[in-house]
Amino acid sequence: MAKLVLTHLGGPTTLVEADGWRILTDPTFDSPGRRYTFGWGTSSRKVAGPARPRDAIAPVDVVLLSHDQHADNLDDSGRALLAQAGTVVSTVPAARRLAAPNVRGLADWESTTLTAEGRPPLTVTATPARHGPRFSGPITGKVNGFALHRDGEDAAALWMSGDTVLYDGLREVARRMPVDVALLHLGGVRFGFTGPVRFTMTAREGLELTQLMRPRVVVPVHYEGWTHFREPEDVARQALSELANVHWLTPGTPAEI
């Protein structure tokens, strides 16, 4: 299988280069220092800026937007980028809210195929995600993961989890879909008034999922840069240390995977 080139830009934001396609996940390019509200009394302050500015990333053919309702996955500068992208693939509710001609909303397990002159077709499949404990959907909103399939290949060249806890929907992904590279959103997000309740995977949950999924490479992202992350890189590295196939990206530095 041809390699992917990944460049982690900070938070969830990762540039994926494959077969001439430039694919960006969850664009966040605002400067650090600002506090953002996430609704229902939750908020977080951004403490790290992007490894590269937004203008240095152009052109972008595809944006995979796991959800639009939280600024740590789509901030103001990221929203400005959406209009410049060829196609934005997101959730059905996000497509309604964004209401732009280049945005496609996918339900769980729905696919769309992208074509461009001089490049092989690229199929994007939406996968289940749950951004918190059971019954948290009305509060946290709909989230998708996304899988990229090259033309003629059954296995996903790349699967991004989106912001999610480990639950049966992710286990279904592991059962149904062979994955080459797994881009895992970690960080163990918690907020003060919600106590021990987590809204994204911990590294131990990422380890459990990886053992079920068995991808060739695991790439952790979205575990630092905001005050609501409670499991930083050193903790995640320790939890995932028994995996031989973990690749930690250096922000701003392209890596062939």
Short mmCIF file of all heavy atoms in Angstrom, two decimals, residues 130-134 136 140 164-166 187-191 194-203 205 228-231:
data_model
loop_
_atom_site.label_atom_id
_atom_site.label_comp_id
_atom_site.label_asym_id
_atom_site.label_seq_id
_atom_site.Cartn_x
_atom_site.Cartn_y
_atom_site.Cartn_z
N ARG A 130 -19.36 8.81 19.70
CA ARG A 130 -20.22 9.34 20.77
C ARG A 130 -19.35 10.18 21.70
O ARG A 130 -18.45 9.68 22.35
CB ARG A 130 -20.89 8.20 21.55
CG ARG A 130 -22.04 8.68 22.43
CD ARG A 130 -22.66 7.53 23.20
NE ARG A 130 -21.83 7.13 24.33
CZ ARG A 130 -21.91 5.96 24.96
NH1 ARG A 130 -22.75 5.04 24.52
NH2 ARG A 130 -21.14 5.70 25.99
N HIS A 131 -19.65 11.47 21.74
CA HIS A 131 -18.80 12.45 22.41
C HIS A 131 -19.15 12.56 23.91
O HIS A 131 -19.39 13.67 24.41
CB HIS A 131 -18.97 13.80 21.71
CG HIS A 131 -17.84 14.77 21.91
ND1 HIS A 131 -16.80 14.56 22.79
CD2 HIS A 131 -17.62 15.99 21.34
CE1 HIS A 131 -15.99 15.61 22.75
NE2 HIS A 131 -16.46 16.48 21.88
N GLY A 132 -19.19 11.43 24.58
CA GLY A 132 -19.49 11.45 26.01
C GLY A 132 -20.19 10.17 26.44
O GLY A 132 -20.29 9.21 25.67
N PRO A 133 -20.68 10.14 27.66
CA PRO A 133 -21.33 8.93 28.18
C PRO A 133 -22.66 8.66 27.49
O PRO A 133 -23.16 9.48 26.70
CB PRO A 133 -21.53 9.25 29.67
CG PRO A 133 -21.61 10.74 29.72
CD PRO A 133 -20.67 11.24 28.65
N ARG A 134 -23.25 7.53 27.80
CA ARG A 134 -24.54 7.17 27.24
C ARG A 134 -25.57 8.27 27.49
O ARG A 134 -25.59 8.88 28.57
CB ARG A 134 -25.01 5.86 27.88
CG ARG A 134 -26.25 5.25 27.22
CD ARG A 134 -26.72 4.05 28.01
NE ARG A 134 -25.71 3.00 28.05
CZ ARG A 134 -25.62 2.02 27.15
NH1 ARG A 134 -26.48 1.97 26.14
NH2 ARG A 134 -24.68 1.10 27.26
N SER A 136 -25.61 11.20 26.25
CA SER A 136 -25.06 12.57 26.22
C SER A 136 -25.28 13.25 24.88
O SER A 136 -25.01 14.45 24.74
CB SER A 136 -23.55 12.54 26.52
OG SER A 136 -22.85 11.79 25.52
N THR A 140 -23.96 17.00 23.86
CA THR A 140 -22.69 17.17 23.14
C THR A 140 -22.87 17.29 21.64
O THR A 140 -22.01 17.83 20.96
CB THR A 140 -21.74 16.01 23.45
OG1 THR A 140 -22.37 14.78 23.07
CG2 THR A 140 -21.40 15.96 24.93
N THR A 164 -14.60 11.04 20.67
CA THR A 164 -15.49 9.97 21.09
C THR A 164 -14.92 9.23 22.28
O THR A 164 -13.70 9.20 22.49
CB THR A 164 -15.73 8.98 19.93
OG1 THR A 164 -16.65 7.97 20.33
CG2 THR A 164 -14.44 8.33 19.47
N VAL A 165 -15.80 8.65 23.06
CA VAL A 165 -15.38 7.69 24.07
C VAL A 165 -15.38 6.30 23.42
O VAL A 165 -15.89 6.11 22.31
CB VAL A 165 -16.33 7.71 25.29
CG1 VAL A 165 -16.26 9.06 25.98
CG2 VAL A 165 -17.76 7.39 24.87
N LEU A 166 -14.81 5.33 24.11
CA LEU A 166 -14.87 3.95 23.64
C LEU A 166 -16.24 3.38 24.02
O LEU A 166 -16.62 3.36 25.18
CB LEU A 166 -13.76 3.12 24.29
CG LEU A 166 -13.72 1.64 23.89
CD1 LEU A 166 -13.55 1.46 22.39
CD2 LEU A 166 -12.62 0.92 24.66
N GLY A 187 -6.95 12.26 24.96
CA GLY A 187 -7.00 13.40 25.86
C GLY A 187 -7.84 13.25 27.11
O GLY A 187 -7.70 14.03 28.05
N GLY A 188 -8.77 12.27 27.14
CA GLY A 188 -9.56 12.06 28.35
C GLY A 188 -10.25 13.32 28.84
O GLY A 188 -10.17 13.67 30.03
N VAL A 189 -10.98 14.01 27.97
CA VAL A 189 -11.58 15.31 28.30
C VAL A 189 -12.52 15.20 29.50
O VAL A 189 -13.38 14.32 29.56
CB VAL A 189 -12.33 15.87 27.08
CG1 VAL A 189 -13.26 17.01 27.49
CG2 VAL A 189 -11.35 16.35 26.02
N ARG A 190 -12.34 16.11 30.45
CA ARG A 190 -13.25 16.26 31.59
C ARG A 190 -13.45 17.74 31.86
O ARG A 190 -12.62 18.57 31.51
CB ARG A 190 -12.68 15.59 32.85
CG ARG A 190 -12.69 14.09 32.83
CD ARG A 190 -12.37 13.49 34.20
NE ARG A 190 -11.01 13.75 34.65
CZ ARG A 190 -10.68 14.52 35.69
NH1 ARG A 190 -11.62 15.14 36.39
NH2 ARG A 190 -9.42 14.69 36.02
N PHE A 191 -14.56 18.05 32.53
CA PHE A 191 -14.85 19.41 32.99
C PHE A 191 -15.11 19.36 34.48
O PHE A 191 -15.56 18.34 35.02
CB PHE A 191 -16.05 19.99 32.24
CG PHE A 191 -15.83 20.11 30.76
CD1 PHE A 191 -16.28 19.12 29.89
CD2 PHE A 191 -15.18 21.21 30.23
CE1 PHE A 191 -16.07 19.23 28.53
CE2 PHE A 191 -14.97 21.33 28.87
CZ PHE A 191 -15.42 20.33 28.02
N THR A 194 -18.58 18.26 35.82
CA THR A 194 -19.04 16.92 35.42
C THR A 194 -18.29 15.82 36.14
O THR A 194 -18.56 14.64 35.91
CB THR A 194 -18.91 16.73 33.90
OG1 THR A 194 -17.55 16.91 33.52
CG2 THR A 194 -19.80 17.70 33.15
N GLY A 195 -17.35 16.18 37.01
CA GLY A 195 -16.66 15.19 37.83
C GLY A 195 -15.84 14.22 37.00
O GLY A 195 -15.11 14.62 36.10
N PRO A 196 -15.96 12.91 37.26
CA PRO A 196 -15.12 11.93 36.58
C PRO A 196 -15.58 11.57 35.18
O PRO A 196 -14.91 10.78 34.50
CB PRO A 196 -15.20 10.71 37.51
CG PRO A 196 -16.57 10.81 38.12
CD PRO A 196 -16.81 12.29 38.30
N VAL A 197 -16.70 12.11 34.73
CA VAL A 197 -17.24 11.75 33.41
C VAL A 197 -16.27 12.21 32.32
O VAL A 197 -15.80 13.34 32.32
CB VAL A 197 -18.62 12.39 33.20
CG1 VAL A 197 -19.11 12.16 31.76
CG2 VAL A 197 -19.62 11.83 34.19
N ARG A 198 -15.98 11.31 31.38
CA ARG A 198 -15.08 11.61 30.27
C ARG A 198 -15.88 11.84 28.99
O ARG A 198 -16.91 11.22 28.77
CB ARG A 198 -14.12 10.44 30.04
CG ARG A 198 -13.28 10.05 31.25
CD ARG A 198 -12.05 10.89 31.39
NE ARG A 198 -11.22 10.45 32.52
CZ ARG A 198 -10.03 10.94 32.79
NH1 ARG A 198 -9.52 11.88 32.02
NH2 ARG A 198 -9.34 10.50 33.83
N PHE A 199 -15.32 12.73 28.13
CA PHE A 199 -15.98 13.05 26.87
C PHE A 199 -15.16 12.65 25.66
O PHE A 199 -15.63 12.77 24.52
CB PHE A 199 -16.32 14.54 26.83
CG PHE A 199 -17.36 14.92 27.84
CD1 PHE A 199 -17.00 15.30 29.14
CD2 PHE A 199 -18.71 14.87 27.53
CE1 PHE A 199 -17.96 15.62 30.08
CE2 PHE A 199 -19.68 15.20 28.46
CZ PHE A 199 -19.30 15.58 29.75
N THR A 200 -13.93 12.20 25.87
CA THR A 200 -13.13 11.60 24.81
C THR A 200 -12.36 10.43 25.40
O THR A 200 -12.30 10.27 26.62
CB THR A 200 -12.13 12.58 24.17
OG1 THR A 200 -11.21 13.05 25.15
CG2 THR A 200 -12.85 13.76 23.53
N MET A 201 -11.75 9.64 24.53
CA MET A 201 -11.03 8.45 24.98
C MET A 201 -9.80 8.80 25.81
O MET A 201 -9.09 9.76 25.54
CB MET A 201 -10.57 7.62 23.78
CG MET A 201 -11.62 6.74 23.18
SD MET A 201 -10.94 5.58 21.94
CE MET A 201 -10.64 6.73 20.58
N THR A 202 -9.56 7.97 26.80
CA THR A 202 -8.26 7.95 27.47
C THR A 202 -7.32 7.09 26.64
O THR A 202 -7.75 6.35 25.74
CB THR A 202 -8.37 7.37 28.87
OG1 THR A 202 -8.75 5.97 28.77
CG2 THR A 202 -9.40 8.12 29.71
N ALA A 203 -6.04 7.16 26.94
CA ALA A 203 -5.08 6.33 26.22
C ALA A 203 -5.31 4.85 26.49
O ALA A 203 -5.10 4.01 25.60
CB ALA A 203 -3.66 6.72 26.61
N GLU A 205 -8.20 3.45 26.90
CA GLU A 205 -9.28 3.08 25.99
C GLU A 205 -8.79 2.99 24.55
O GLU A 205 -9.19 2.11 23.79
CB GLU A 205 -10.42 4.10 26.10
CG GLU A 205 -11.18 4.02 27.41
CD GLU A 205 -12.19 5.14 27.56
OE1 GLU A 205 -11.93 6.27 27.09
OE2 GLU A 205 -13.25 4.87 28.17
N HIS A 228 -9.13 21.65 28.84
CA HIS A 228 -10.06 20.58 29.19
C HIS A 228 -9.48 19.18 28.97
O HIS A 228 -10.11 18.19 29.30
CB HIS A 228 -11.40 20.73 28.46
CG HIS A 228 -11.32 20.66 26.97
ND1 HIS A 228 -10.48 21.40 26.21
CD2 HIS A 228 -12.04 19.92 26.08
CE1 HIS A 228 -10.65 21.14 24.92
NE2 HIS A 228 -11.59 20.23 24.82
N PHE A 229 -8.28 19.10 28.41
CA PHE A 229 -7.62 17.80 28.29
C PHE A 229 -6.99 17.44 29.63
O PHE A 229 -6.24 18.23 30.21
CB PHE A 229 -6.56 17.82 27.20
CG PHE A 229 -7.13 17.87 25.82
CD1 PHE A 229 -6.84 18.92 24.97
CD2 PHE A 229 -7.98 16.88 25.37
CE1 PHE A 229 -7.38 18.99 23.70
CE2 PHE A 229 -8.52 16.92 24.10
CZ PHE A 229 -8.22 17.98 23.26
N ARG A 230 -7.26 16.24 30.11
CA ARG A 230 -6.79 15.82 31.43
C ARG A 230 -5.78 14.69 31.36
O ARG A 230 -5.37 14.17 32.39
CB ARG A 230 -7.99 15.40 32.28
CG ARG A 230 -9.04 16.49 32.45
CD ARG A 230 -8.45 17.77 33.03
NE ARG A 230 -9.41 18.85 33.08
CZ ARG A 230 -10.20 19.10 34.12
NH1 ARG A 230 -10.13 18.34 35.19
NH2 ARG A 230 -11.06 20.11 34.07
N GLU A 231 -5.38 14.29 30.15
CA GLU A 231 -4.41 13.21 30.02
C GLU A 231 -3.38 13.63 28.96
O GLU A 231 -3.54 13.34 27.79
CB GLU A 231 -5.11 11.92 29.62
CG GLU A 231 -4.25 10.69 29.81
CD GLU A 231 -5.00 9.41 29.48
OE1 GLU A 231 -5.13 9.10 28.28
OE2 GLU A 231 -5.45 8.74 30.41
#
